[in-house]
Amino acid sequence: MILFPGYTLVYGSRMHLTLQQMRLFEAVARHRSFTRAAQELHLTQPAVSIQVKRLEENAGSILVEHMGKRLFLTPAGHAVYEACVDILGRLRLLDQALDDLRADVRGPLELSVVTSAKYIIPPLLGAFIADHPAVTPRLIVTNRARVIERLADNRDDFVIMGQIPPELEVEAHPFLDNLLMIVAHPPPSSRRAARSCRPGLGRGALLGA
Amino acid sequence: MILFPGYTLVYGSRMHLTLQQMRLFEAVARHRSFTRAAQELHLTQPAVSIQVKRLEENAGSILVEHMGKRLFLTPAGHAVYEACVDILGRLRLLDQALDDLRADVRGPLELSVVTSAKYIIPPLLGAFIADHPAVTPRLIVTNRARVIERLADNRDDFVIMGQIPPELEVEAHPFLDNLLMIVAHPPPSSRRAARSCRPGLGRGALLGA
DNA sequence: TCCGCTTACGCCCTTCGTAAACATT
DNA sequence: AATGTTTACGAAGGGCGTAAGCGGA
């Protein structure tokens, strides 16, 4: 039901509400100005205008009123503003949490690699350490037999070799065009590497960053 | 830095994270299945798959791991899941608040209209009441002179007439192709209609719903 | 007339569905 | 083989900028 042209209020279905709309509206409400909000967010006025309009459509209520020169929030506008502050704050918290998780990649990292990987691994490991300075790796380059021995004794967080030994129940991830494998005991076996490195990283991305 | 193909982790800039991505991820995490999440949200598997992938790119961390048949959340995945629950819950709260605000359109509504609007207004008013049952309107249909008198005496929340009287300082909104005007004393003057109907509605949309 | 908000239009990017490929059991 | 996930691609929709329109001090 419409009385004045342009006042179509859509009930329900606040499905296509957008985080960007919330960011813009929060800035608009804080500055009480579309122009300053646009400046703060490095956007143009029309972009802000249209997004606030869409937000009003999504909310099903008018949120701002222009009384002469100044801009006021309606009660619904205040409700939306509170929600925006809460939600954007929660997002910032999540950002922090994710950063902390990534920063928490720390501790000792024991690995041994076959000689043929001697020139492949150190640069990768170096880049990984650059991203995660709290990790203290100990890299042993040795022959295949000793790598298998260390693997069998569970002395490494993981090893890197070409052919996986069939007599061991291990988990292997091929990499570098299947020339090499990252080999480790499968988790449940609580390896040090698992405890120290896995938070925030997928198991397959032990060295990925 | 990439070690395994497909594990590109993008740092920072969680700017284009989407509410839809959160809805999908929340459902995926709850069901531990892309398929069931897609069913619940009336989407296809690929849509869910790609959005979760994008969410992981935005988060800068892998969020889900496929261990054989079952699906697990990484620590980062749990953090994101908590945030999704919080944010979607907050949105539901906002929905409730907006509905309540709209329901709070209540109270007496006094208006008088010129005779020529006799056949126009009642259906509009009826539809408005249907949406806002707590409003108790009193409609008076009379001639132009009495409408002006009531307007001058401030006895109505607003009136509807064709030509606005020039001797009164009033606020007029044309509607119905400028044949009729909604006329009221401008706010700051705290009219009953303003108090009873305006919460949740823009001033220009007094009857709009 | 100036300033600020809105509308119009066009481009680009994103999203989703269909279909096919891939993986795991 | 069957179930479940991912990739490819085309169509539809949304976001934003530029430019023009509009409205109040």
Side-chain angles (χ1 to χ4, degrees), chain A residues 94-110:
Chain A
L94 172 61
D95 261 34
Q96 190 94 25
L98 289 174
D99 286 341
D100 289 353
L101 274 178
R102 259 199 296 275
D104 264 352
V105 177
R106 68 174 64 246
L109 176 66
E110 309 266 353

Side-chain angles (χ1 to χ4, degrees), chain A residues 197-208:
Chain A
C197 286
R198 283 182 61 203
L201 292 175
R203 189 177 71 260
L206 258 183
L207 281 184

Side-chain angles (χ1 to χ4, degrees), chain A:
Chain A
M1 171 195 178
I2 309 165
L3 219 148
F4 297 130
Y7 281 106
T8 319
L9 300 186
V10 181
Y11 277 100
S13 108
R14 304 186 237 281
M15 278 295 107
H16 11 43
L17 184 135
T18 297
L19 284 177
Q20 179 73 340
Q21 287 171 0
M22 296 193 187
R23 287 190 206 100
L24 299 198
F25 182 74
E26 188 278 331
V28 166
R30 183 158 35 82
H31 286 125
R32 288 183 140 57
S33 157
F34 284 55
T35 306
R36 269 170 286 171
Q39 288 169 349
E40 176 181 307
L41 296 168
H42 307 290
L43 292 173
T44 58
Q45 268 176 11
V48 176
S49 179
I50 210 125
Q51 288 309 325
V52 170
K53 187 183 177 63
R54 296 250 169 91
L55 181 58
E56 289 185 328
E57 289 168 5
N58 291 333
S61 302
I62 293 171
L63 305 180
V64 296
E65 275 186 302
H66 304 277
M67 306 254 297
K69 210 181 177 94
R70 215 150 197 75
L71 182 149
F72 294 92
L73 294 187
T74 63
H78 278 108
V80 172
Y81 175 71
E82 297 296 327
C84 289
V85 170
D86 290 349
I87 287 174
L88 297 176
R90 186 62 183 87
L91 277 179
R92 241 170 278 125
L93 239 73
L94 172 61
D95 261 34
Q96 190 94 25
L98 289 174
D99 286 341
D100 289 353
L101 274 178
R102 259 199 296 275
D104 264 352
V105 177
R106 68 174 64 246
L109 176 66
E110 309 266 353
L111 68 158
S112 63
V113 308
V114 292
T115 313
S116 58
K118 173 160 54 170
Y119 302 108
I120 308 292
I121 298 306
L124 292 175
L125 197 56
F128 177 69
I129 297 306
D131 276 333
H132 305 285
V135 174
T136 55
R138 206 156 55 123
L139 174 66
I140 294 180
V141 180
T142 182
N143 61 38
R144 174 179 160 81
R146 290 211 174 271
V147 167
I148 291 177
E149 180 187 333
R150 291 179 58 87
L151 179 61
D153 291 341
N154 209 16
R155 286 203 297 232
D156 288 313
D157 295 301
F158 61 88
V159 306
I160 290 180
M161 53 171 53
Q163 306 286 329
I164 62 170
E167 69 272 14
L168 291 178
E169 263 211 26
V170 291
E171 189 179 340
H173 292 272
F175 87 108
L176 238 58
D177 288 330
N178 291 331
L179 283 173
L180 291 173
M181 312 282 265
I182 293 186
V183 183
H185 290 274
S189 92
S190 56
R191 294 290 305 133
R192 291 183 300 271
R195 281 203 307 277
S196 59
C197 286
R198 283 182 61 203
L201 292 175
R203 189 177 71 260
L206 258 183
L207 281 184

